[in-house]
mmCIF file of all heavy atoms in Angstrom:
data_model
loop_
_atom_site.group_PDB
_atom_site.id
_atom_site.type_symbol
_atom_site.label_atom_id
_atom_site.label_comp_id
_atom_site.label_asym_id
_atom_site.label_seq_id
_atom_site.Cartn_x
_atom_site.Cartn_y
_atom_site.Cartn_z
ATOM 1 N N ALA A 101 0.237 -30.800 -9.816
ATOM 2 C CA ALA A 101 1.151 -31.722 -9.121
ATOM 3 C C ALA A 101 0.673 -32.111 -7.728
ATOM 4 O O ALA A 101 1.403 -32.793 -7.008
ATOM 5 C CB ALA A 101 2.532 -31.075 -9.015
ATOM 6 N N ARG A 102 -0.536 -31.701 -7.347
ATOM 7 C CA ARG A 102 -0.952 -31.874 -5.948
ATOM 8 C C ARG A 102 -1.017 -33.336 -5.517
ATOM 9 O O ARG A 102 -0.926 -33.628 -4.316
ATOM 10 C CB ARG A 102 -2.302 -31.212 -5.734
ATOM 11 C CG ARG A 102 -3.429 -31.773 -6.597
ATOM 12 C CD ARG A 102 -4.660 -30.906 -6.486
ATOM 13 N NE ARG A 102 -5.694 -31.305 -7.431
ATOM 14 C CZ ARG A 102 -6.793 -30.598 -7.677
ATOM 15 N NH1 ARG A 102 -6.983 -29.462 -7.037
ATOM 16 N NH2 ARG A 102 -7.691 -31.015 -8.546
ATOM 17 N N ALA A 103 -1.164 -34.270 -6.460
ATOM 18 C CA ALA A 103 -1.252 -35.682 -6.072
ATOM 19 C C ALA A 103 0.106 -36.381 -6.146
ATOM 20 O O ALA A 103 0.197 -37.581 -5.885
ATOM 21 C CB ALA A 103 -2.249 -36.410 -6.976
ATOM 22 N N GLN A 104 1.166 -35.629 -6.464
ATOM 23 C CA GLN A 104 2.465 -36.261 -6.688
ATOM 24 C C GLN A 104 3.343 -36.187 -5.433
ATOM 25 O O GLN A 104 3.560 -35.102 -4.897
ATOM 26 C CB GLN A 104 3.193 -35.559 -7.840
ATOM 27 C CG GLN A 104 2.403 -35.503 -9.132
ATOM 28 C CD GLN A 104 2.101 -36.881 -9.679
ATOM 29 O OE1 GLN A 104 2.947 -37.783 -9.600
ATOM 30 N NE2 GLN A 104 0.911 -37.057 -10.235
ATOM 31 N N PRO A 105 3.878 -37.322 -4.968
ATOM 32 C CA PRO A 105 4.807 -37.271 -3.844
ATOM 33 C C PRO A 105 6.181 -36.769 -4.273
ATOM 34 O O PRO A 105 6.938 -36.221 -3.487
ATOM 35 C CB PRO A 105 4.876 -38.719 -3.374
ATOM 36 C CG PRO A 105 4.552 -39.525 -4.587
ATOM 37 C CD PRO A 105 3.585 -38.718 -5.395
ATOM 38 N N GLU A 106 6.517 -36.964 -5.557
ATOM 39 C CA GLU A 106 7.789 -36.536 -6.123
ATOM 40 C C GLU A 106 7.540 -36.124 -7.567
ATOM 41 O O GLU A 106 6.463 -36.386 -8.117
ATOM 42 C CB GLU A 106 8.813 -37.680 -6.080
ATOM 43 C CG GLU A 106 9.132 -38.179 -4.682
ATOM 44 C CD GLU A 106 10.012 -39.422 -4.700
ATOM 45 O OE1 GLU A 106 9.830 -40.253 -5.617
ATOM 46 O OE2 GLU A 106 10.879 -39.551 -3.826
ATOM 47 N N LEU A 107 8.561 -35.502 -8.204
ATOM 48 C CA LEU A 107 8.415 -35.071 -9.591
ATOM 49 C C LEU A 107 9.579 -35.577 -10.427
ATOM 50 O O LEU A 107 10.747 -35.308 -10.092
ATOM 51 C CB LEU A 107 8.369 -33.537 -9.680
ATOM 52 C CG LEU A 107 7.149 -32.818 -9.094
ATOM 53 C CD1 LEU A 107 7.315 -31.313 -9.267
ATOM 54 C CD2 LEU A 107 5.864 -33.286 -9.751
ATOM 55 N N ASP A 108 9.269 -36.278 -11.521
ATOM 56 C CA ASP A 108 10.313 -36.591 -12.485
ATOM 57 C C ASP A 108 10.243 -35.548 -13.599
ATOM 58 O O ASP A 108 9.442 -34.604 -13.544
ATOM 59 C CB ASP A 108 10.149 -38.010 -13.026
ATOM 60 C CG ASP A 108 8.806 -38.235 -13.712
ATOM 61 O OD1 ASP A 108 8.091 -37.245 -13.997
ATOM 62 O OD2 ASP A 108 8.460 -39.407 -13.959
ATOM 63 N N ALA A 109 11.063 -35.702 -14.611
ATOM 64 C CA ALA A 109 11.160 -34.692 -15.661
ATOM 65 C C ALA A 109 9.824 -34.483 -16.371
ATOM 66 O O ALA A 109 9.411 -33.342 -16.628
ATOM 67 C CB ALA A 109 12.233 -35.094 -16.666
ATOM 68 N N ALA A 110 9.112 -35.573 -16.674
ATOM 69 C CA ALA A 110 7.858 -35.456 -17.418
ATOM 70 C C ALA A 110 6.773 -34.778 -16.587
ATOM 71 O O ALA A 110 6.036 -33.913 -17.077
ATOM 72 C CB ALA A 110 7.396 -36.841 -17.875
ATOM 73 N N THR A 111 6.661 -35.165 -15.313
ATOM 74 C CA THR A 111 5.630 -34.579 -14.463
ATOM 75 C C THR A 111 5.929 -33.115 -14.170
ATOM 76 O O THR A 111 5.024 -32.279 -14.130
ATOM 77 C CB THR A 111 5.511 -35.357 -13.141
ATOM 78 O OG1 THR A 111 5.388 -36.756 -13.434
ATOM 79 C CG2 THR A 111 4.303 -34.894 -12.355
ATOM 80 N N LEU A 112 7.216 -32.792 -13.976
ATOM 81 C CA LEU A 112 7.590 -31.396 -13.762
ATOM 82 C C LEU A 112 7.245 -30.561 -14.986
ATOM 83 O O LEU A 112 6.666 -29.466 -14.866
ATOM 84 C CB LEU A 112 9.087 -31.293 -13.470
ATOM 85 C CG LEU A 112 9.640 -29.870 -13.343
ATOM 86 C CD1 LEU A 112 8.985 -29.130 -12.181
ATOM 87 C CD2 LEU A 112 11.166 -29.891 -13.183
ATOM 88 N N ALA A 113 7.555 -31.071 -16.161
ATOM 89 C CA ALA A 113 7.256 -30.336 -17.394
ATOM 90 C C ALA A 113 5.759 -30.136 -17.564
ATOM 91 O O ALA A 113 5.302 -29.042 -17.936
ATOM 92 C CB ALA A 113 7.842 -31.081 -18.596
#
Side-chain angles (χ1 to χ4, degrees):
R102 60 190 172 190
Q104 305 298 322
E106 299 173 324
L107 292 179
D108 59 13
T111 310
L112 175 62

